[in-house]
Every structure is written in C-alpha cells, then in structure tokens.
Amino acid sequence: MIATIAAAVDLPIESVQKLKKHGITVSPECGVYASGISVSFENKSSFAISYRLGSSDSTSFQRYKNPINLNQTTYIQVKLEGNGAPNTLFIGTFIVGRNHTLPVICLKVEPSAFFAPTGIYDGKILFGGGNANGIPGTGNSFVGNAWKKNPIPCFAQFFYNNELVEATACQVKTFGGWTLGLPEKSLHLYTDTLIGKKEFEYKFFKNKPYNEFEHLVLRTSGSDQNFTRFKDISISSFAAELMVDYMDYQPAILYVNEKYFGIINLREKINKDYLAYNHNADKSNTVLLEQEGGNSKDYKFLKDYVAAHYADANFPEEIQKLMDLEDYFNYSFLEIYIANVDSRGNIRYWKDSSSDNKWRWIYYDGDLGCAGNFHRQNFLKERISPVQTDWYNPTWTTNLLRYTTTNPELRNRFVQQACLLMCTVLQKDTVVNRIDQFANAIASEIPYHVNRFPITQKETEKDWNNHVKNYRKFWEIRPVSMFRHVKEAYGLGDSVHLKFTTNIPDKKLLIVNESKLHFNKVEGDFFANIPLPLAVPEHSFPYVFKQWSDGVKEKSRVLDCSTSSSIEAQFTHAPVSELKNKLHIRR
C-alpha cells in the first residue's frame, strides 16, 4: 500500500493506461499536448468510474458523466467502484499547453513528505570558514531533511516523444553531496516490489542497449544548476569516447505534483548493478570504491606497489597486471584537462576478481571543472605533486599518477597519450561543436526553465547564453594551456607536428601509442624525441595493409619524433575469393 501518496483512499497505484485491462479506455491517453484537450472514458466494464483532478489527495472524487476539459497541466486520478472493482488508484498526467521537445518525467508525491519545511526537498548549508588546511565545507552546518536521504514513496511516469512509456510506484530520495544545500536537489529513484514493479522498463539512454533499471538518478547538473545545465553530461560524452566508464544521460523535463521543475538530467546510477549490466561483472566478486578507498586492502596493495616498484625494469609490464593502465591514463587526463578540483572526492573505481581482476576508473562528476582560472594554474603539476599544495590534492589523490609517470617509459606513454587525446577526441573544433549540440538540445526550453520551481532569484535566457559562451571559451583555449602545462610538469622540450592518415578514410585503421582507441586520422603536436608507437590492426578485412607511405612495410613501428612528418597507411582491397558465386547457403 502507498498510504503516503494516496492517503485519502489508501490504495496501490497504477497508470491510468492500465484501465484497459478492465475494459475502460481513456481518450486521449495521458501525455504531452500543446493545447487544451477534452478527456473522455469509454466504459465497457460493469464498474462505475469516479475521478478527481490534481495531485492533491484531499479533494473528493466525483462520478464521471461527461468529457473532462483540461486547459492546464494536471493529474487525473481514477478509482473504480462496484462489485469486484479493483482496489487500485489509477493515475495519469496530462501536460497541457506545452510542446516539450525533451522527454518528460512526472513524479506524484505526498506534499508534506516531499516539500519544505517537513519534506525531503528541504536542505541548506550554513557556511563556516573552513579549517586550517583550507578545506571548504569544514565547519559548515547542514540543515534540513535533504541531508538524511530518507526515501519516500512516489509514482513516476516517463514520457518519451510525448507518449507514456513507463509508469510505476517506486521510492525517491535525495542524491548527491554538498549540492543538497542548493535550491534544487538531485533525486534518486529506485524500484520497490512492495509498492510497484521490480524494474523500470524502457531504453532510457540511447547510447546503451539496456532497457531494465532498478535505479535512476534525476540530476540537476550539481553546482552547474544555475549555469549551463549540461556541463557534466557533455564531459561524460567525451569520457564515453575515451572508453572510460561514465553515467549515461538524457536531458529531460521534470514535473513534481504539477509543478514545473525545469530541465533535469536523467542519469544512470553508479553501483554494482551498473557494473553488472555494463561489464557483466559478478556482484559478489566486485569491489567498488570511492574517494580514498576506505579500508580496502586490495587498493592499498596497489598504492603500496607503485610506490615501491615504479623504478623496477619490469614495472610497465607488472603494473598492467593490476590495473588497466590506459583506462587510468585516459581517466586521469580527462580530469586534469577539465581541471576538476572535485575529482578528489568524486572518484569511483572498481575491479572484478572473477574477471581479469584489474582496477578501472569511472568518470563521475565534473560540475566544478572548466573554471577559467585553471588556464593559469598548472593542475597537472599539482596532480603529481609529492606534497599537498591545495585542499583538492592531498597526497592520497596524487600518488598513483605521480609514481606511474615517474617511471620513464610510462611517463612517455602518458605524455604522448595526452597529445593524442588533445588532437583527436578533445580536439578544439570537435569539442566546441559538441558543446553547441548540447546547448541546442535544450535551448528551446530555456525561456521556461529560467522561471522553474523552486528558483526565486531572477534568471534570464541571456544569463544562460552567457554561461554557455563562458563554458565554450574554456574548451576553445584549453589546448594551448594544457600543452604548456604538460611541458612544464615533466620538463619537456620542443614539439613536432605529426599527421597520420589512411587511404581508406571512412575506416578507423590507425593505432597510435598502442591505444585501444582507433582513428581514421590523427593530426597535431607531439613532444619531440619521445618514442611514439604507430600501427594498423592485425586484421582489417576486407582491406589488406600494403605499406606506409614512406616505404615501411611492417604493420607496427615506433617513430622517434625527431622531426615533423606526415605518414599515410596504405591498404588494398582483399582479393575476391575463388568461391564467390560458387558457394551457396541452402538452409
């Protein structure tokens, strides 16, 4: 029973669409409508229909007789009466007078359990001055129920392309850290079979093939909630291209009890379920850690090992038995590139002992990254510092990257990997175009979003455009400062300009720096006199590698990077089999 959200009738809740199984249809069905509508019920059952409008459970039901005219967003709550009638409350949301281009998520909650001053959405920070080490947040007072993260029941409806795709009773609680002190709170939805379904069933995220989730996060974009609203999800898109784990995303519109909450980001939840469906990881053999790693003996072993053995001749081979080194380098460089000061706390890493038992990292949250002042501050140098220089780089956050890149061979690999990423996935024009795509996806909603609940301060569409411009500017000028910071941090010399292409430009047939990332073109600056492996795949059917444009015939080679150069990998089409047109499939 969901007494707290159907207090007046104390009934379990289902979607109004479920009336069909009782011989009752609603027309039009609940969804998103640009103008007013008239809702009617066709009743082929033996039950009488009673209904009430709005999310309040205190108003009385009335018997349905005539079509119901709706000119604004509301809920229709229906119960059936008569001999054998189901003991269920049926709820449907009608978004009226809007033409949302984003998916819509509607939550129905008991107001006193959700809203301030008694509900879970009440939370603020009474700021203190920090401690002697300058760590912000120390000495602060955290006031309100939001910090308790206690769940309450709710009824969640999901509309994609303006049509209902999923609806179930579930639990909702607050989500996040210190951002719970901001006016908007992120929320965590999770299924509960005592009141609803076992899983949310829909393909919510276009980049992932999964359509069953026990946990979903409705994220405000954290401390970016009053700025671009898409900073973290845009960075997540780059993590995805780097083959670093990330929380997939879908910008959406949130309503709570008919109140318009504006743009929200629907996200995956990082937990062992996430690792199970993304990596087929065995939950019972998986370790998932955050921040310093708690009391994990396995992670302490990794840290102790790199500190004790980084100078060993076989260290580059041995360390890769304990961790996915490229995954860590890609993850670390992304965090450094965006200058994410909060990466000390917002860090997640894991391993599955029943698989290859290697540590891997998850990009988690970059809402404090991309600040303009880090173009002048060498964040990489601080991330490999042997002493703490600021609140965000205690030595426990720096030892792993510091020791691995103290090893000359791995330092070279990290340095050239940084150059590779800056001229491919993080290339300026590519990144800026991606930022514009994210901005354009929500731009039509901004005139409404700036007046969302519970924001009371004045915001404007012009403010949002300025925030987007500032965010774009960070990415436009970051390559120059980052290249300089890599050079300064490791005391490097001159650079060379390299260009790698193939004569099959629509296929990714280039392997640079032994990376698991493959490319069809690589062009940019690399550091001189640091070896750079270059190769093509061992198998590239239907193409066969012939030679490099400078005459080298080996598939794999190592460039000394002594001078700038341009090299093309040349392929021919594989010969046609003698069995062509002779071999047939009978059945």
Side-chain angles (χ1 to χ4, degrees), residues 361-382:
W361 279 256
I362 304 172
Y363 169 72
Y364 189 75
D365 183 4
D367 60 350
L368 290 182
C370 305
N373 60 303
F374 279 106
H375 292 298
R376 298 181 296 275
Q377 186 171 347
N378 193 328
F379 195 62
L380 170 59
K381 190 174 183 179
E382 293 185 295

Side-chain angles (χ1 to χ4, degrees), residues 376-447:
R376 298 181 296 275
Q377 186 171 347
N378 193 328
F379 195 62
L380 170 59
K381 190 174 183 179
E382 293 185 295
R383 282 294 300 272
I384 58 174
S385 172
V387 297
Q388 183 171 348
T389 65
D390 213 323
W391 68 270
Y392 50 74
N393 70 327
T395 53
W396 64 263
T397 71
T398 63
N399 72 316
L400 199 56
L401 185 63
R402 180 172 74 253
Y403 284 121
T404 54
T405 61
T406 298
N407 179 278
E409 181 179 331
L410 297 188
R411 183 211 66 169
N412 288 345
R413 182 175 176 184
F414 178 76
V415 165
Q416 298 295 52
Q417 186 74 3
C419 295
L420 174 64
L421 300 184
M422 283 191 287
C423 67
T424 54
V425 178
L426 299 177
Q427 193 268 343
K428 182 184 73 172
D429 293 339
T430 300
V431 171
V432 171
N433 181 62
R434 183 79 54 81
I435 300 306
D436 289 341
Q437 290 177 15
F438 276 94
N440 292 336
I442 64 173
S444 64
E445 194 66 36
I446 294 301

Side-chain angles (χ1 to χ4, degrees), residues 23-78:
I24 300 170
T25 56
V26 56
S27 179
E29 294 189 336
C30 58
V32 181
Y33 297 92
S35 58
I37 56 174
S38 180
V39 178
S40 60
F41 294 91
E42 181 181 359
N43 189 357
K44 295 182 179 180
S45 74
S46 59
F47 309 126
I49 300 173
S50 293
Y51 76 95
R52 64 184 173 195
L53 299 181
S55 59
S56 173
D57 295 328
S58 61
T59 56
S60 300
F61 283 85
Q62 57 183 303
R63 187 61 55 88
Y64 171 76
K65 296 179 181 179
N66 300 309
I68 306 164
N69 295 321
L70 300 181
N71 295 303
Q72 62 184 20
T73 297
T74 191
Y75 288 81
I76 288 184
Q77 302 186 50
V78 175

Side-chain angles (χ1 to χ4, degrees), residues 202-235:
Y202 187 69
K203 190 179 183 300
F204 295 107
F205 308 106
K206 62 183 179 180
N207 299 319
K208 301 284 181 75
Y210 319 110
N211 57 10
E212 295 178 344
F213 301 86
E214 293 183 22
H215 301 265
L216 293 170
V217 173
L218 308 180
R219 196 162 185 272
T220 63
S221 199
S223 57
D224 179 54
Q225 64 180 241
N226 294 325
F227 297 93
T228 73
R229 205 72 178 193
F230 61 80
K231 180 190 290 187
D232 186 55
I233 62 174
S234 64
I235 299 170

